[in-house]
């Protein structure tokens, strides 16, 4: 099924401010909230669709990429909320859902606190990790896998992330009775307003630990490392960022891992210069090749290509090899290889070579006679890109 435009999903324009986007998402989240639509699969899908749209449009980097390339250019940068449960989404947008548990919209009553009658526990989220991955131009030409070793917080292997010495050390929180939240009622001119907040005793988990794990001291995580495989699409450029979901730090005492944020750094090439998806090559030919014409091999990122040099080729002539550049990220579009042909003038000559050239210089065909078609470099380049 084709994805809808994110702006259409939230009902905002492309010029909408960050605050307007946030308000629009909050409205959609309230409209399709699971507590308001129990058992409604269509409302559930729209709730998750709105979460995905907000995840992209609330992030300046993701929003800029989406505005430029649409869904085709997002790749792994758009989080997949279709496989998440509601607790994961509530945790992902803690600022929207009043602390990250069950979507308790403060000041509302009559909808079970937007959290399953106040029974939803807080889902913790681990911290994100940001790394830089260096690539060369050849690696950018096709999709590749990179394995990176990350130092991070991992689930404690001794307590399996519970933070407790043993299963008997975990008990239900006596203050919130396992709900993870405490509810306060306040009388106003409009009646009784019910307001939920995170239970301060258990931090929203609904559980307290009598005897903490001696290895992680009750956190549920320890310092460790992980080798992560990153699937990098072809065509990435300097400064581009992709997200590997849930490969960041493990959350304390269970929950959702943070994300791994990968920033790409593409090294300069010795032969080619890059401009977006196009590559530029300065290629030198000899004076005889320029005068007589020739068939030559030029380098490409993936090997070599044969081109014909027409007789009478002038220095500065530009040739285009279609489809020999770089692919656009998550697209079938491929850039071109732009070849700038230069005629190489010898810097040193033997006595015999000098004599030959002096003799040729007296011939009429060796006297420069530029015509109308021999345009200036500026006009030639301008015409080439029109």
């Amino acid at each position: 099924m084709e994805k809808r435009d994110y702006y259409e999903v939230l009902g905002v324009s492309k010029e909408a401010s960050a605050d307007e986007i946030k308000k629009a998402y909050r409205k959609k989240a309230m409209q399709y909230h699971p507590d308001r639509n129990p058992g409604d699969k269509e409302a559930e899908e729209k709730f998750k669709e709105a979460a995905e749209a907000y995840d992209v449009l609330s992030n300046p980097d993701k929003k800029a990429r989406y505005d430029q390339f649409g869904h085709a250019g997002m790749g792994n940068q758009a989080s997949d909320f279709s496989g998440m449960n509601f607790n994961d989404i509530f945790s992902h947008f803690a600022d929207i859902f009043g602390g990250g548990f069950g979507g308790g919209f403060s000041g509302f009553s009559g909808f079970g606190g937007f959290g399953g009658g106040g029974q939803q526990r807080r889902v913790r989220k681990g911290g994100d990790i940001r790394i830089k991955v260096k690539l060369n131009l050849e690696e950018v030409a096709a999709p590749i896998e990179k394995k990176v070793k990350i130092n991070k917080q991992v689930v404690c292997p001794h307590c399996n992330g519970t933070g407790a010495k043993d299963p008997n050390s975990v008990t239900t929180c006596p203050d919130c009775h396992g709900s993870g939240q405490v509810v306060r009622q306040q009388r106003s001119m409009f009646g009784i307003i019910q307001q939920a907040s995170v239970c301060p005793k258990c931090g929203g988990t609904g559980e307290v630990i009598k005897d903490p794990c001696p290895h992680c001291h009750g956190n549920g995580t320890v310092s460790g490392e992980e080798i992560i495989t990153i699937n990098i699409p072809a065509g990435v450029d300097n400064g581009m960022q992709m997200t590997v979901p849930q490969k960041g730090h493990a959350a304390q005492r269970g929950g959702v891992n943070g994300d791994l944020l990968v920033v790409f750094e593409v090294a300069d090439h010795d032969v080619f210069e890059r401009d977006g998806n196009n590559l530029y090559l300065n290629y030198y030919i000899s004076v005889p090749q320029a005068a007589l014409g020739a068939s030559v091999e030029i380098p490409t990122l993936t090997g070599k290509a044969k081109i014909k040099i027409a007789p009478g080729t002038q220095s500065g002539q530009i040739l285009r090899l279609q489809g020999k550049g770089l692919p656009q990220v998550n697209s079938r579009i491929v850039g071109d290889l732009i070849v700038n042909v230069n005629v190489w003038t010898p810097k040193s000559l033997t006595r015999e070579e000098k004599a030959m050239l002096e003799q040729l210089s007296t011939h009429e065909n060796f006297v420069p006679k530029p015509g109308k078609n021999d345009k200036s470099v500026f006009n030639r380049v301008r015409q080439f890109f029109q």
Side-chain angles (χ1 to χ4, degrees):
M1 182 178 178
E2 187 175 348
K3 289 186 177 183
R4 286 201 298 158
D5 179 79
Y6 288 145
Y7 292 100
E8 179 186 341
V9 170
L10 297 184
V12 296
S13 68
K14 286 190 175 182
E15 291 72 34
S17 65
D19 189 54
E20 289 172 332
I21 291 172
K22 185 174 182 179
K23 287 181 179 178
Y25 171 56
R26 185 182 176 89
K27 182 178 178 181
K28 292 291 183 182
M30 290 173 64
Q31 180 182 352
Y32 298 116
H33 195 283
D35 282 354
R36 277 189 167 182
N37 305 272
D40 189 336
K41 289 294 183 182
E42 184 179 354
E44 178 182 331
E45 293 303 317
K46 288 185 177 180
F47 183 80
K48 293 179 178 181
E49 182 185 46
E52 180 179 328
Y54 179 69
D55 179 66
V56 171
L57 299 184
S58 63
N59 182 302
D61 292 335
K62 292 182 181 180
K63 183 177 183 296
R65 181 153 192 81
Y66 178 72
D67 288 345
Q68 186 175 5
F69 300 112
H71 291 296
M74 293 307 298
N76 291 331
Q77 293 196 28
S79 300
D80 183 11
F81 288 89
S82 60
M84 285 192 182
N85 60 41
F86 293 121
N87 276 343
D88 292 343
I89 297 175
F90 297 144
S91 174
H92 198 81
F93 301 121
D95 60 328
I96 297 291
F97 295 113
F101 60 94
F105 291 96
S106 300
F108 269 80
S109 60
F111 296 102
F114 286 137
Q119 296 303 311
Q120 294 284 355
R121 296 182 180 182
R122 182 179 184 181
V123 179
R124 298 176 185 269
K125 186 175 187 298
D128 294 337
I129 300 175
R130 189 183 185 92
I131 64 169
K132 185 177 290 185
V133 171
K134 295 184 178 181
L135 303 169
N136 58 46
L137 212 53
E138 282 81 4
E139 291 175 313
V140 171
I144 60 166
E145 287 186 353
K146 281 277 187 180
K147 294 184 183 295
V148 294
K149 182 184 289 186
I150 305 293
N151 295 318
K152 54 185 282 190
Q153 288 294 307
V154 299
V155 173
C156 175
H158 301 281
C159 67
N160 293 321
T162 65
K165 183 178 180 180
D166 54 61
N168 296 326
S169 298
V170 181
T171 61
T172 301
C173 175
D175 288 9
C176 66
H177 307 291
S179 69
Q181 55 181 296
V182 290
V183 180
R184 296 179 178 86
Q185 292 183 342
Q186 182 178 355
R187 188 178 297 277
S188 72
M189 61 183 295
F190 301 106
I192 296 176
I193 297 177
Q194 184 171 289
Q195 191 169 14
S197 60
V198 178
C199 176
K201 186 172 184 67
C202 66
T205 64
E207 299 173 337
V208 292
I209 296 175
K210 293 187 298 181
D211 297 318
C213 171
H215 301 279
C216 65
H217 309 291
N219 290 326
T221 63
V222 294
S223 296
E225 61 184 29
E226 182 181 0
I227 296 176
I228 298 171
T229 300
I230 305 174
N231 295 308
I232 303 174
V236 296
D237 204 349
N238 271 319
M240 281 188 178
Q241 177 177 299
M242 69 176 288
T243 301
V244 184
Q246 299 187 26
K247 286 299 182 180
H249 293 296
Q252 292 187 349
R253 295 176 58 188
V256 181
N257 285 7
D259 297 331
L260 178 64
L261 309 178
V262 183
V263 181
F264 298 110
E265 183 178 289
V266 183
D268 291 336
H269 199 273
D270 293 335
V271 176
F272 303 102
E273 291 186 24
R274 179 181 186 177
D275 181 20
N277 299 324
N278 292 330
L279 295 176
Y280 290 81
L281 169 68
N282 278 319
Y283 187 77
Y284 290 86
I285 60 175
S286 67
V287 172
Q289 286 176 320
L292 300 174
S295 179
V296 298
E297 279 191 341
I298 63 169
T300 69
L301 272 184
T302 56
K304 293 184 179 296
K306 283 188 176 183
I307 61 172
K308 288 186 177 181
I309 304 296
T313 293
Q314 303 298 310
S315 191
Q317 184 168 337
I318 296 173
L319 305 176
R320 178 192 290 268
L321 277 68
Q322 291 187 341
K324 293 296 184 180
L326 294 172
Q328 184 172 297
V329 177
N330 296 319
S331 171
R332 295 181 180 179
I333 298 174
V334 181
D336 300 332
L337 174 59
I338 314 300
V339 183
N340 181 36
V341 180
N342 294 291
V343 179
W344 178 260
T345 303
K347 295 182 179 180
S348 59
L349 298 170
T350 64
R351 182 179 299 177
E352 182 181 0
E353 290 168 341
K354 285 182 179 179
M356 293 172 60
L357 288 176
E358 286 172 355
Q359 182 180 1
L360 288 173
S361 67
T362 61
H363 290 233
E364 184 178 353
N365 286 333
F366 283 84
V367 177
K369 297 176 182 177
K372 292 182 179 180
N373 293 329
D374 298 310
K375 300 178 180 179
S376 68
V377 173
F378 174 77
N379 286 334
R380 187 163 57 243
V381 173
R382 182 176 64 179
Q383 183 186 47
F384 181 78
F385 287 103
Q386 283 180 346

